[in-house]
Amino acid sequence: MRIDKFLKVSRIIKRRTVAKEVADLNRIYINGQLAKPSKHVNIGDLIELHLGLKVIQIKVISLIPSKDTLMYELISEEKRSL
């Protein structure tokens, strides 16, 4: 599954176009490497998102969207200062 679609269906980012813009601005890393919107994610991948002043690290645990379970595990969430 593409990273922009994963972020949308896992409900981390509300719209796929916003997820694509975040990736185009070089704010998404998968396993420590810069990711473009078309980069594929796999189960077990570590994703780091730089959203505004927040840095969120998650681990992919599922690629199948489900209404009752999360598709990721939150590893850390930090607020950066200016």
Side-chain angles (χ1 to χ4, degrees):
M1 179 181 299
R2 292 168 51 117
I3 184 65
D4 57 349
K5 185 173 182 179
F6 175 81
L7 293 173
K8 191 249 184 225
V9 298
S10 65
R11 297 183 287 270
I12 295 172
I13 296 178
K14 289 185 178 184
R15 289 177 284 162
R16 188 169 176 178
T17 55
V18 174
K20 182 182 179 307
E21 290 172 4
V22 171
D24 285 338
L25 292 172
N26 299 329
R27 294 178 182 225
I28 300 176
Y29 294 86
I30 299 175
N31 297 326
Q33 296 182 340
L34 190 60
K36 297 295 178 191
S38 61
K39 176 79 172 164
H40 284 271
V41 295
N42 298 308
I43 294 174
D45 283 349
L46 297 173
I47 299 173
E48 184 175 315
L49 302 165
H50 297 262
L51 303 172
L53 294 177
K54 286 205 268 185
V55 177
I56 302 170
Q57 291 182 332
I58 60 171
K59 181 178 181 181
V60 178
I61 57 173
S62 174
L63 295 177
I64 301 169
S66 176
K67 193 173 190 176
D68 298 331
T69 60
L70 291 176
M71 297 175 62
Y72 61 92
E73 174 186 343
L74 182 64
I75 296 174
S76 71
E77 183 174 355
E78 302 173 10
K79 288 193 177 187
R80 296 184 295 182
S81 60
L82 292 176

